[in-house]
Amino acid sequence: MTDDEPGRGAGTRRREGAVEGPARGVLRSETLIVLALSLGASGVSALISFIGSVTKAGGLKAQAATLNGSHAPGRPWLDLAWQLFGIATALVPVVLVAHLLLRERAGGLRALGFDRRRPGADLGRGTLVAAAIGGSGLLLYLGARAAGFNLTVVPEALPDVWWKIPVLIASAVQNAVLEEVIVVGYLLRRLGQLGWGPMAALAASSVLRGSYHLYQGIGGFFGNLVMGVIFVLLYRRWGRVGPLVAAHALIDIVAFVGYALLAGRVGWLPTA
């Protein structure tokens, strides 16, 4: 891997690409700000939500966590406006990361392997990863819920209107781009520049991924932690977040759209 290739500074070697002096302090502050504006804040929110759930009577599986709900019930056009607004604003931290990497003269998101240079390879790899993780993730969720360690996850509770499926797909893609760009590509790059070792960076990325899924319960935390470990290892192997974005988007699309089509029609799928 050359200095210009994605993945450089991702913590693949101890202190590889690390910076010193004032620049280190700037990168540390920058990383904390990006996380505070995005998934770091989501992790704190999920922890508060989890505390509320475990201290509520009735057990976790008797409670529900809705991922895509209506913002204006009975007013579909206003609801659509809110849905699109939420998806667009959720991607602002990704735009900030692109700006910071351009200012660093690293080539923007291309430094993380999020570009259009290898769309076929990215989609192919992503499809294989999604197929491997999706089924096992569903089994883990069903098992954790049955054991009382997880809330009932409701992937969507949108009204039956024409924009329902497109919004669910857009939401899935937004989740994938936000999480993989920031929690894998950007965070590993910055931690590598700050001198973190490979295992410490892997742990930080994986625990962060698990933390902002804690609102779903213990199963959501550990399932996503394991997914985080796998995704970090794949990123270090491929040097690109593109396949990870594709895999994550496909997993979420199947979950969101599949629930919309199957909820109440099959007995094995829990509903609120």
Side-chain angles (χ1 to χ4, degrees), residues 80-132:
L80 174 60
W82 278 118
Q83 298 292 338
L84 297 179
F85 173 79
I87 290 169
T89 53
L91 290 173
V92 171
V94 176
V95 178
L96 174 59
V97 165
H99 167 75
L100 294 171
L101 292 176
L102 285 171
R103 191 181 63 178
E104 188 185 331
R105 301 184 185 277
L109 297 182
R110 181 174 181 176
L112 310 179
F114 187 56
D115 51 42
R116 294 178 294 178
R117 288 182 299 165
R118 306 172 188 173
D122 288 348
L123 181 58
R125 286 172 169 174
T127 301
L128 292 176
V129 174

Side-chain angles (χ1 to χ4, degrees), residues 249-271:
L250 289 171
I251 291 171
D252 280 6
I253 288 171
V254 170
F256 296 170
V257 177
Y259 186 90
L261 298 176
L262 296 178
R265 296 179 174 86
V266 294
W268 55 265
L269 184 62
T271 56

Side-chain angles (χ1 to χ4, degrees), residues 61-66 141 145 152-154 259 263 269-272:
K61 69 178 181 179
Q63 302 172 54
T66 302
Y141 159 66
R145 181 184 176 277
T152 298
V153 177
V154 180
Y259 186 90
L269 184 62
T271 56

Side-chain angles (χ1 to χ4, degrees), residues 72-81 159 161-163:
R75 306 182 67 183
W77 286 103
L78 182 62
D79 201 349
L80 174 60
V161 291
W162 65 269
W163 48 260

Side-chain angles (χ1 to χ4, degrees), residues 51 139 209 211 225:
I51 293 172
L139 292 176
R209 186 188 294 268
S211 73
L225 186 148

